[in-house]
Amino acid sequence: MSIHVFHQLVSTVKHFNIVSEANKSIPIFLFEKDKEEKKEPCKLTLITPSTMDISTWQLFCQNELIPKKNYSYDLENHTLKIMHNNLQAQFQTDSLLLKGKGQIKVNEQIFAAVMELSPVTYICDVSANAGVYVSYETGDYKIKWDVNSDKWRNATWENGRYIFTYGLTDIPLVGQTDYVKTFNVIDAKLGSSWNPPDDSFTLTVLSNFSFNFSLASGNPPTTSNSNTNNDTIPSVFPYRMVDNFDGFAQHLTGAMSIVDKPIAERGVLGIRGHVQNPNIYGFYQMKQQQLTNRLFITNDFLTVDGKKAEKMVKEGSVINYEGLKDVEGFPSSGSLEFNECGSIVKIVGLNVEGERMNI
């Protein structure tokens, strides 16, 4: 498998995955009561806006900020050490802090762990009349499309219907490198999702900025009931998908087959999409005189001055939220827009911005 994960070059958010000897993720808990109370297992998240300036980093255990005095990073030897409460950890990373491996010790138990970048999500429009077609060669088919064609430019698109997330993590084994793949698909229109088993598909990301997904024979995707509604696009769960990214992996165009054996232009869809910004995470401080609120943002929620918004939805580099109560001066609902590296935030519609904090 030839893999070049180029989205990692712009991502600043890393997660630590606790694994067993069989390279399977396992939950660990800092305190025994957390397990008894069925709380979320321990999760470490590291934000590195500048890999060379440790003062800009934020390290979290769950949603608790770990004080900078409790961890260190040796820039010469690329070693990260953490001592926080009853957790001790040490990781050896690469020079760009894209990945790492090491051990975590909790309650006198030692676990292997890997540091990996957050899986990346793309929000995509799909079209059944964008001029996508298949051609059969030596018994197999290739999906083809032309973004400059009249059919593509004049196509009817279902905006934001197809959402997919993928991640690639290499784990060294004896004599070889194994790749743990994650792939998830959401049909936003039908509210259904699909996670194909790890051994049921191949997934490659090549150095020419192309992405290829293919199901193994005999592993059809989950089906939906949309056929009963005479839907033009009955499913967005792919048998195959081929995409081309731009140089920064921010946008893509491509195509997919939604049947096992498509014919001509039947059973194939055009795809166009944009990345769900993976760098939006951490503490932010609003900077204008009239608004000096502190924000805390994770993949799951938004808080402002400790008050949690009832609803938060990420769309690309924008967060839409509502139900924020009892926060002086801050809109109870609205949108927050971030730059590509997730370091600057603006309140949409107001001349107010903030930045990620160095704390």
Side-chain angles (χ1 to χ4, degrees):
M1 183 186 295
S2 176
I3 296 180
H4 175 66
V5 189
F6 45 84
H7 73 259
Q8 294 185 332
L9 300 180
V10 297
S11 179
T12 62
V13 179
K14 292 89 176 174
H15 293 295
F16 296 82
N17 187 26
I18 317 303
V19 297
S20 66
E21 292 181 356
N23 291 329
K24 298 295 184 181
S25 295
I26 56 175
I28 66 171
F29 299 85
L30 292 185
F31 303 101
E32 194 63 32
K33 65 177 184 179
D34 293 342
K35 185 176 182 179
E36 296 172 356
E37 295 173 3
K38 297 183 178 180
K39 293 185 178 180
E40 288 292 313
C42 173
K43 181 175 71 174
L44 292 172
T45 301
L46 176 66
I47 303 171
T48 58
S50 170
T51 57
M52 300 301 293
D53 185 358
I54 301 174
S55 69
T56 67
W57 293 13
Q58 292 181 17
L59 178 63
F60 295 89
C61 180
Q62 291 303 87
N63 299 316
E64 177 189 354
L65 182 68
I66 296 178
K68 281 188 167 59
K69 65 180 182 179
N70 290 358
Y71 65 94
S72 63
Y73 185 74
D74 187 323
L75 289 170
E76 182 177 350
N77 297 315
H78 313 301
T79 303
L80 174 67
K81 295 181 179 180
I82 306 169
M83 295 190 67
H84 177 66
N85 292 333
N86 57 341
L87 179 149
Q88 299 177 42
Q90 180 166 321
F91 289 86
Q92 191 70 41
T93 76
D94 64 356
S95 59
L96 296 176
L97 271 167
L98 300 180
K99 58 185 178 181
K101 60 180 180 178
Q103 292 182 331
I104 291 179
K105 183 178 180 181
V106 178
N107 298 322
E108 301 306 315
Q109 287 186 287
I110 297 176
F111 303 89
V114 293
M115 184 182 78
E116 57 192 17
L117 294 175
S118 302
V120 177
T121 298
Y122 287 85
I123 303 172
C124 304
D125 310 330
V126 290
S127 173
N129 63 351
V132 178
Y133 66 97
V134 297
S135 64
Y136 278 82
E137 302 173 12
T138 63
D140 200 3
Y141 67 87
K142 291 186 177 181
I143 311 174
K144 300 182 178 182
W145 70 96
D146 182 0
V147 296
N148 297 313
S149 68
D150 290 338
K151 284 189 174 181
W152 186 279
R153 287 194 294 259
N154 298 321
T156 302
W157 296 90
E158 291 194 22
N159 295 331
R161 177 169 174 180
Y162 177 54
I163 302 171
F164 76 91
T165 300
Y166 84 95
L168 294 169
T169 302
D170 60 308
I171 298 181
L173 299 176
V174 178
Q176 65 177 353
T177 298
D178 184 36
Y179 290 91
V180 176
K181 307 178 295 292
T182 58
F183 188 76
N184 168 259
V185 177
I186 294 175
D187 187 329
K189 181 177 181 178
L190 301 178
S192 53
S193 63
W194 173 50
N195 289 82
D198 290 349
D199 58 355
S200 70
F201 66 91
T202 59
L203 189 159
T204 59
V205 185
L206 304 177
S207 57
N208 64 353
F209 303 112
S210 66
F211 178 100
N212 296 269
F213 168 87
S214 180
L215 273 180
S217 178
N219 291 277
T222 301
T223 57
S224 65
N225 297 320
S226 60
N227 281 320
T228 60
N229 301 323
N230 297 317
D231 200 332
T232 304
I233 300 177
S235 173
V236 293
F237 294 166
Y239 281 80
R240 293 189 190 180
M241 179 173 66
V242 183
D243 299 316
N244 291 332
F245 295 96
D246 64 14
F248 293 98
Q250 299 296 303
H251 300 88
L252 66 83
T253 56
M256 71 165 83
S257 60
I258 56 173
V259 297
D260 188 20
K261 295 181 178 180
I263 300 174
E265 295 187 7
R266 289 183 292 173
V268 288
L269 304 176
I271 310 168
R272 64 184 188 188
H274 61 274
V275 72
Q276 184 86 290
N277 192 333
N279 298 320
I280 302 172
Y281 202 108
F283 282 99
Y284 295 81
Q285 181 74 55
M286 306 310 295
K287 291 295 185 180
Q288 265 63 16
Q289 185 174 359
Q290 67 271 32
L291 282 180
T292 57
N293 308 85
R294 177 181 289 194
L295 285 59
F296 179 46
I297 301 169
T298 73
N299 293 327
D300 304 311
F301 64 81
L302 160 71
T303 66
V304 180
D305 295 342
K307 303 295 178 61
K308 185 177 179 180
E310 293 178 354
K311 183 178 181 181
M312 182 197 80
V313 178
K314 286 185 180 180
E315 296 183 0
S317 291
V318 175
I319 285 180
N320 299 307
Y321 71 92
E322 58 186 58
L324 184 63
K325 300 177 181 179
D326 303 323
V327 179
E328 184 176 354
F330 204 91
S332 60
S333 62
S335 300
L336 305 173
E337 185 176 19
F338 296 79
N339 63 347
E340 183 179 306
C341 64
S343 61
I344 303 296
V345 57
K346 296 181 180 180
I347 301 178
V348 176
L350 298 178
N351 187 27
V352 178
E353 71 175 37
E355 61 185 14
R356 187 184 280 128
M357 302 173 65
N358 294 338
I359 56 177

